[in-house]
Amino acid sequence: MTADSLAATGYRSIIQLPIQWGDQDAFGHVNNTIPIRWFESSRIAYLDHSGMDALLEAAGLGPILASIRCDYRRQLRYPDTVWVGAKVTQLKNSSLTMVHTVWSEREQSVAAEGDSTVVVFDYQANRPRRIPNEIRQALSRFEGDLPA
Amino acid sequence: MTADSLAATGYRSIIQLPIQWGDQDAFGHVNNTIPIRWFESSRIAYLDHSGMDALLEAAGLGPILASIRCDYRRQLRYPDTVWVGAKVTQLKNSSLTMVHTVWSEREQSVAAEGDSTVVVFDYQANRPRRIPNEIRQALSRFEGDLPA
Amino acid sequence: MTADSLAATGYRSIIQLPIQWGDQDAFGHVNNTIPIRWFESSRIAYLDHSGMDALLEAAGLGPILASIRCDYRRQLRYPDTVWVGAKVTQLKNSSLTMVHTVWSEREQSVAAEGDSTVVVFDYQANRPRRIPNEIRQALSRFEGDLPA
Amino acid sequence: MTADSLAATGYRSIIQLPIQWGDQDAFGHVNNTIPIRWFESSRIAYLDHSGMDALLEAAGLGPILASIRCDYRRQLRYPDTVWVGAKVTQLKNSSLTMVHTVWSEREQSVAAEGDSTVVVFDYQANRPRRIPNEIRQALSRFEGDLPA
């Protein structure tokens, strides 16, 4: 499994990243902040791949990260390459849940899993805003059906 | 509120950290990985302040981070100083839950909250190990009574 | 020596920063990118302390980092606190040289030294610009006389 | 130009790295610490590619970074991919000079250049040590002739 297996488990947006030596900390493993950076990179890639980024910008809206969760499954080391999948699994009124899975080539295993809660924010009104219908439709097309 | 208020809400281990300009990302706010780094710093400080670090080492054990969760309450900017409290709120068989609160001086508000799950690991046996009684007693003395 | 000694060696702009555990890499010492971050923080503080930041902004100008140099004098470890001084030592036509010294409390020694070359950039004209006289005068007042 | 052009300019050790969104700072460009991290990654790769890493370890020696220099040629932005070449250009008694070049695919240009001074350290004797002949020969084979 690499990108193929992440795709098989439903990820349509997948990025590949090398582990750098300096990603490791004094315990000799990849530091716990690094998968959080990978989640961020996969969120940014997802917004681009799904077309959501352009739709948000056209509507004067932007994404704000409200929360993050990460389960560390394996200790990683340099050298290695990870594949990171992101998918939206739930759309609420003004927020969505994005799930992330990190796959390690060296470990041939899931290395970290987690999710982000992203709020759609109206910068002019300075408050959260209901996710517009065209974004809901774009995400449903990109992901297949999504629960409300 | 600063260290005093975190102490009033039950934090016995509190650290103070300056926000650096470079902690900000292209959105112009402190990047979401930075509070995760602060949580780490507060975990390390807690292990030292509570005496748990020395007891783990004497027993040939070490802490492994199993999961992390963070709710981002405020967008932070340079310059600012944060106070980060950590406390153990639950002891299970071989793991514990540590809660973290980040207080921003500039915002005069909680900026982030979250928790870590830390597993006590036996490096010789290469598997998790029941938290020894002397560590349970040390943490109870440090925190007051803890739920089992 | 701490801030006092840096001041004695001619630093008028000095910041204090804690070393975080996660600043250390797999060699068990503070990673070589961290003093470069400290240099950045001391540049930003200098621009503020000297008043240069406000003068640049009023003139529609901004600083761009052209080069950096760092000599690593001591290997640093957590826990420690560093003091970082910055001073402008040379003003050329459209650029200036800023010198940085990092002092370690734990080592009671200079831990890193280096310098930055900063270009004054005109964002409207999209090219470097001669450093305006009022900035030269402000820096001379802040530092004492500066070589041309 | 990509890896081919770096190879044409004499680089035998070249790595490829993606720019992550979070590598950008509040100025909206890749932060100045990031090329320093790329230099580190290219040093680590060079030690492996040249065989120097194994020879150092067999001799009870290790590399210590004594100084770094970086000229920033272009402001970089996400998304982009960089290629980073490293080569040893000078061997002194107990230290060597390694040169680094960063090539940006998006800019089709050199984005940063610099060098590292690496000291060969004897951890038992706790002091620098003359670079052994078998390492000099291995580097000459890897690079072609090197100045003394």
Side-chain angles (χ1 to χ4, degrees), chain B residues 15-18 20-23 34 37-38 40-41 44-45 48 78, chain C residues 15-18 20-23 34 37-38 40-41 44-45 48 78:
Chain B
I15 58 174
Q16 178 191 10
L17 296 166
Q20 293 188 73
W21 181 87
D23 292 336
I34 302 295
R37 169 58 42 93
W38 296 336
E40 175 185 75
S41 296
I44 299 283
D48 179 29
Y78 169 85
Chain C
I15 58 173
Q16 178 191 11
L17 295 165
Q20 293 188 73
W21 181 86
D23 291 336
I34 302 296
R37 169 58 43 92
W38 296 337
E40 175 185 76
S41 295
I44 300 283
D48 179 28
Y78 169 87

Coordinates of all heavy atoms in Angstrom, one line a residue, chain B residues 15-18 20-23 34 37-38 40-41 44-45 48 78, chain C residues 15-18 20-23 34 37-38 40-41 44-45 48 78:
Chain B
I15 N 4.3 26.8 32.9 CA 5.5 27.4 32.2 C 5.1 28.7 31.5 O 3.9 28.8 31.1 CB 6.2 26.4 31.3 CG1 5.3 26.0 30.2 CG2 6.8 25.2 32.0 CD1 5.9 25.1 29.1
Q16 N 6.1 29.5 31.3 CA 5.9 30.8 30.6 C 6.7 30.8 29.3 O 7.9 30.4 29.3 CB 6.3 31.9 31.5 CG 6.2 33.3 30.8 CD 6.9 34.4 31.7 OE1 7.6 34.1 32.6 NE2 6.7 35.6 31.3
L17 N 6.1 31.1 28.2 CA 6.9 31.1 26.9 C 6.5 32.4 26.1 O 5.4 32.7 26.0 CB 6.5 29.9 26.1 CG 6.8 28.5 26.6 CD1 6.1 27.4 25.9 CD2 8.3 28.3 26.5
P18 N 7.5 33.0 25.5 CA 7.3 34.1 24.6 C 6.8 33.6 23.2 O 7.3 32.5 22.8 CB 8.6 34.8 24.5 CG 9.6 33.7 24.6 CD 9.0 32.7 25.5
Q20 N 7.4 33.9 19.4 CA 8.4 34.5 18.5 C 7.7 34.9 17.2 O 6.7 34.3 16.8 CB 9.5 33.5 18.2 CG 10.4 33.2 19.4 CD 11.6 32.3 19.1 OE1 12.5 32.8 18.5 NE2 11.6 31.1 19.5
W21 N 8.2 35.9 16.5 CA 7.6 36.4 15.3 C 7.5 35.2 14.3 O 6.4 35.1 13.6 CB 8.5 37.5 14.6 CG 7.9 38.0 13.4 CD1 7.0 39.0 13.2 CD2 8.2 37.5 12.0 NE1 6.6 39.1 11.9 CE2 7.4 38.2 11.1 CE3 9.0 36.5 11.5 CZ2 7.4 38.0 9.8 CZ3 9.0 36.3 10.1 CH2 8.2 37.0 9.3
G22 N 8.5 34.3 14.2 CA 8.5 33.2 13.3 C 7.5 32.1 13.6 O 7.4 31.1 12.9
D23 N 6.8 32.2 14.8 CA 5.8 31.2 15.1 C 4.5 31.5 14.2 O 3.6 30.7 14.2 CB 5.4 31.3 16.6 CG 6.5 30.8 17.5 OD1 7.3 30.0 17.1 OD2 6.5 31.3 18.7
I34 N 2.2 25.2 16.7 CA 3.0 25.9 17.8 C 2.3 25.5 19.1 O 3.1 25.1 20.1 CB 3.1 27.4 17.6 CG1 3.8 27.7 16.2 CG2 3.8 28.0 18.8 CD1 5.2 27.2 16.2
R37 N 3.6 22.2 20.2 CA 4.9 22.3 20.7 C 4.9 22.8 22.2 O 5.6 22.3 23.1 CB 5.8 23.3 19.9 CG 7.1 23.8 20.4 CD 8.1 22.7 20.7 NE 8.3 21.6 19.8 CZ 9.1 21.5 18.8 NH1 10.0 22.4 18.6 NH2 9.2 20.4 18.1
W38 N 4.0 23.8 22.5 CA 3.8 24.2 23.8 C 3.3 23.1 24.7 O 3.7 23.0 25.9 CB 2.9 25.5 23.9 CG 3.3 26.7 23.1 CD1 4.7 27.0 22.8 CD2 2.5 27.7 22.6 NE1 4.7 28.2 22.2 CE2 3.4 28.7 22.0 CE3 1.2 28.0 22.6 CZ2 3.0 29.9 21.4 CZ3 0.7 29.2 22.0 CH2 1.6 30.1 21.4
E40 N 3.9 20.0 24.4 CA 5.0 19.1 24.6 C 5.9 19.7 25.7 O 6.3 19.0 26.6 CB 5.8 19.0 23.3 CG 7.1 18.2 23.5 CD 7.9 18.2 22.2 OE1 8.5 19.3 21.8 OE2 7.9 17.2 21.5
S41 N 6.2 21.0 25.6 CA 7.0 21.7 26.6 C 6.4 21.6 28.0 O 7.1 21.4 29.0 CB 7.3 23.1 26.2 OG 8.0 23.2 25.0
I44 N 6.9 18.0 29.3 CA 8.2 17.8 29.8 C 8.4 18.4 31.2 O 9.0 17.8 32.1 CB 9.2 18.3 28.8 CG1 9.1 17.6 27.4 CG2 10.7 18.3 29.3 CD1 9.7 16.2 27.3
A45 N 7.9 19.6 31.3 CA 8.1 20.4 32.6 C 7.3 19.7 33.7 O 7.8 19.5 34.8 CB 7.6 21.8 32.4
D48 N 9.1 16.7 35.1 CA 10.1 17.2 36.0 C 9.6 17.7 37.3 O 10.0 17.2 38.4 CB 10.9 18.3 35.3 CG 12.1 18.8 36.2 OD1 12.6 18.1 37.0 OD2 12.4 20.0 36.0
Y78 N 2.2 37.7 17.3 CA 3.4 38.3 17.9 C 3.2 39.8 18.1 O 2.6 40.4 17.1 CB 4.6 38.0 17.0 CG 5.8 38.8 17.4 CD1 6.7 38.3 18.4 CD2 6.1 40.0 16.8 CE1 7.8 39.1 18.8 CE2 7.2 40.8 17.2 CZ 8.1 40.3 18.2 OH 9.2 41.0 18.5
Chain C
I15 N 17.0 40.4 23.7 CA 15.8 39.6 24.1 C 16.2 38.3 24.8 O 17.4 37.9 24.7 CB 15.0 39.2 22.8 CG1 15.9 38.4 21.8 CG2 14.4 40.4 22.1 CD1 15.1 37.8 20.7
Q16 N 15.3 37.8 25.6 CA 15.5 36.6 26.4 C 14.6 35.5 25.9 O 13.4 35.8 25.7 CB 15.2 37.0 27.9 CG 15.3 35.8 28.8 CD 14.8 36.1 30.2 OE1 14.1 37.1 30.4 NE2 15.0 35.2 31.1
L17 N 15.1 34.3 25.7 CA 14.2 33.2 25.2 C 14.6 31.9 25.9 O 15.7 31.6 26.1 CB 14.5 33.0 23.7 CG 14.1 34.2 22.7 CD1 14.7 33.9 21.3 CD2 12.6 34.2 22.6
P18 N 13.5 31.2 26.3 CA 13.8 29.9 26.9 C 14.1 28.8 25.8 O 13.5 28.9 24.7 CB 12.5 29.5 27.6 CG 11.5 30.2 26.7 CD 12.1 31.4 26.1
Q20 N 13.3 25.3 24.4 CA 12.3 24.3 24.6 C 12.9 22.9 24.4 O 13.8 22.8 23.6 CB 11.1 24.5 23.7 CG 10.3 25.8 24.0 CD 9.0 26.0 23.2 OE1 8.0 25.3 23.5 NE2 9.0 26.9 22.3
W21 N 12.3 21.9 25.0 CA 12.8 20.5 24.9 C 12.9 20.1 23.4 O 13.8 19.6 22.9 CB 12.0 19.5 25.6 CG 12.5 18.1 25.5 CD1 13.4 17.5 26.3 CD2 12.1 17.2 24.5 NE1 13.7 16.3 25.8 CE2 12.9 16.0 24.7 CE3 11.2 17.2 23.5 CZ2 12.7 14.9 23.9 CZ3 11.1 16.1 22.7 CH2 11.8 14.9 22.9
G22 N 11.8 20.5 22.7 CA 11.6 20.2 21.3 C 12.6 20.9 20.3 O 12.6 20.7 19.1
D23 N 13.4 21.9 20.9 CA 14.4 22.5 20.1 C 15.6 21.6 19.8 O 16.5 21.9 19.0 CB 14.9 23.8 20.8 CG 13.9 24.9 20.8 OD1 13.0 24.9 20.0 OD2 14.0 25.8 21.7
I34 N 17.8 26.4 15.1 CA 17.2 27.2 16.2 C 17.9 28.5 16.4 O 17.2 29.6 16.5 CB 17.1 26.3 17.5 CG1 16.3 25.0 17.2 CG2 16.5 27.1 18.6 CD1 14.8 25.3 16.9
R37 N 16.5 30.9 14.0 CA 15.2 31.5 14.4 C 15.5 32.6 15.5 O 14.8 33.6 15.5 CB 14.4 30.3 15.0 CG 13.1 30.7 15.7 CD 12.1 31.5 15.0 NE 11.8 31.2 13.6 CZ 10.9 30.4 13.2 NH1 10.0 29.8 14.0 NH2 10.7 30.2 11.9
W38 N 16.4 32.3 16.4 CA 16.7 33.4 17.4 C 17.2 34.6 16.8 O 16.9 35.7 17.2 CB 17.7 32.8 18.5 CG 17.2 31.7 19.3 CD1 15.9 31.3 19.5 CD2 18.0 30.7 19.9 NE1 15.9 30.2 20.3 CE2 17.2 29.8 20.6 CE3 19.4 30.5 20.1 CZ2 17.6 28.7 21.3 CZ3 19.9 29.4 20.8 CH2 19.0 28.6 21.4
E40 N 16.5 35.7 13.9 CA 15.3 36.4 13.3 C 14.5 37.1 14.4 O 14.1 38.3 14.2 CB 14.4 35.3 12.7 CG 13.1 35.8 12.1 CD 12.2 34.7 11.7 OE1 11.6 33.9 12.5 OE2 12.1 34.5 10.4
S41 N 14.3 36.5 15.5 CA 13.6 37.1 16.6 C 14.3 38.4 17.1 O 13.7 39.4 17.4 CB 13.4 36.2 17.8 OG 12.6 35.1 17.4
I44 N 13.8 41.2 14.4 CA 12.5 41.8 14.6 C 12.4 42.7 15.8 O 11.9 43.8 15.7 CB 11.4 40.7 14.7 CG1 11.4 39.8 13.5 CG2 10.0 41.3 15.0 CD1 10.7 40.3 12.2
A45 N 13.0 42.3 16.9 CA 13.0 43.1 18.1 C 13.8 44.4 17.9 O 13.4 45.5 18.3 CB 13.5 42.3 19.3
D48 N 12.0 47.0 16.0 CA 11.0 47.7 16.9 C 11.7 48.6 17.9 O 11.4 49.8 18.0 CB 10.2 46.6 17.6 CG 9.2 47.2 18.6 OD1 8.7 48.3 18.3 OD2 8.9 46.5 19.6
Y78 N 18.4 21.5 26.5 CA 17.3 21.9 27.4 C 17.7 21.3 28.8 O 18.2 20.2 28.9 CB 16.1 21.2 26.9 CG 14.9 21.3 27.9 CD1 14.1 22.4 27.9 CD2 14.6 20.3 28.7 CE1 13.0 22.5 28.8 CE2 13.6 20.3 29.7 CZ 12.8 21.5 29.7 OH 11.8 21.5 30.6

